[in-house]
Amino acid sequence: MKCEEFIAFLADYLDELLPRETIARFELHLAGCRSCTAYLATYRETILMARNAANAARLDVRDAPEELIAAILASVR
Amino acid sequence: MPFMEAVDAGSSERALVARLQAGDASAFEQLVRQQTPVLLRVARRFMKSEDDARDAVQDAFVAAFKSIRNFGANAQLSTWLHRIVINACLMRLRTQRRRREEDLEDYLPHFRDDGHQVTPSQQWNETAETILERTELVGIVRAEIDQLPDTYREVLLLRDIEELSTEETAAMLGITANAVKIRLHRARQALRTRLDPYMRGVQ
């Protein structure tokens, strides 16, 4: 397996959707390629970072403004 | 949640749904007060302006109010509203979409004829754990997600942040499951490339 194929299979590998034979070839490439080892690690971090950044935003809770609640209630009455 | 509390929460939700379905105005006000903060946080992730986020939440409640009679006995209100507000955001984004969908090609890895990467990838110094301590990096990640073309950003938000399944995402966007998988992979790769200089600490 070459880097190009490795990267194409990445999402399916993380979702455990690859057939066993492909996993073996995938992991064989991974063991010998520093660039793809870094790519896999940073791809995985990207997913977690996106999620964490969104969740961190959940911490800076600005309460729902009263005028919005009033507008919603008015719009359905 | 302890079992009895869960039972209580379930029965009080069923009671609220019954009042909503009977057209009880005070029940609707209770629902709006309870759920608006949560739904607004979701809408802010999709919409780039606060006004648009608020409008989407309002759209969602109007839609919810119209279809409360169809609310299933086994469904959960919070899950149901979560899907409705996402739909409201997607509809607003669709009508706003005037910007030409820029190509992601520049942010995808490039390969030599022998199948190796043109520019070898490197490990990052920052991790998803460490960025939580770094407010400016959280801001950078959010800004870079916002920079993705909408068709890719939507899939990334639905799958990786709102944690919907591939099938549910496909149904919401009206595309195939395979198209969801392709867009998600490309969106993650593009975001990875855009974050790379910050996370390696060279920018």
Side-chain angles (χ1 to χ4, degrees), chain B residues 4-58:
Chain B
M4 284 315 290
E5 267 182 54
V7 169
D8 281 354
S11 61
S12 73
E13 176 163 311
R14 274 197 300 281
L16 179 61
V17 170
R19 285 167 58 212
L20 288 166
Q21 290 180 331
D24 178 341
S26 72
F28 197 74
E29 177 160 357
Q30 183 184 334
L31 182 74
V32 170
R33 291 199 177 278
Q34 210 174 61
Q35 296 293 329
T36 298
V38 182
L39 299 184
L40 191 54
R41 265 170 267 152
V42 175
R44 282 177 181 142
R45 290 201 278 270
F46 283 83
M47 310 309 293
K48 290 172 187 172
S49 86
E50 176 70 15
D51 281 352
D52 282 340
R54 290 182 185 193
D55 287 346
V57 172
Q58 190 165 343

Side-chain angles (χ1 to χ4, degrees), chain A residues 64-77, chain B residues 29 32-33 36 58:
Chain A
E66 191 56 38
E67 74 249 30
L68 173 60
I69 290 173
I72 293 167
L73 292 174
S75 69
V76 297
R77 260 175 203 143
Chain B
E29 177 160 357
V32 170
R33 291 199 177 278
T36 298
Q58 190 165 343

Side-chain angles (χ1 to χ4, degrees), chain A residues 2-69:
Chain A
K2 298 284 195 284
C3 303
E4 188 164 8
E5 209 185 345
F6 178 93
I7 289 175
F9 283 144
L10 207 51
D12 280 347
Y13 174 75
L14 293 178
D15 285 341
E16 300 177 2
L17 294 174
L18 289 182
R20 191 177 304 169
E21 182 272 337
T22 312
I23 295 175
R25 291 199 297 127
F26 185 95
E27 290 179 346
L28 187 66
H29 177 85
L30 184 63
C33 181
R34 281 176 72 172
S35 175
C36 284
T37 301
Y39 200 89
L40 172 63
T42 53
Y43 181 94
R44 202 181 245 149
E45 273 317 309
T46 299
I47 299 166
L48 296 174
M49 277 181 184
R51 193 168 297 158
N52 278 357
N55 287 338
R58 276 177 207 177
L59 297 177
D60 61 15
V61 183
R62 282 169 288 168
D63 279 337
E66 191 56 38
E67 74 249 30
L68 173 60
I69 290 173

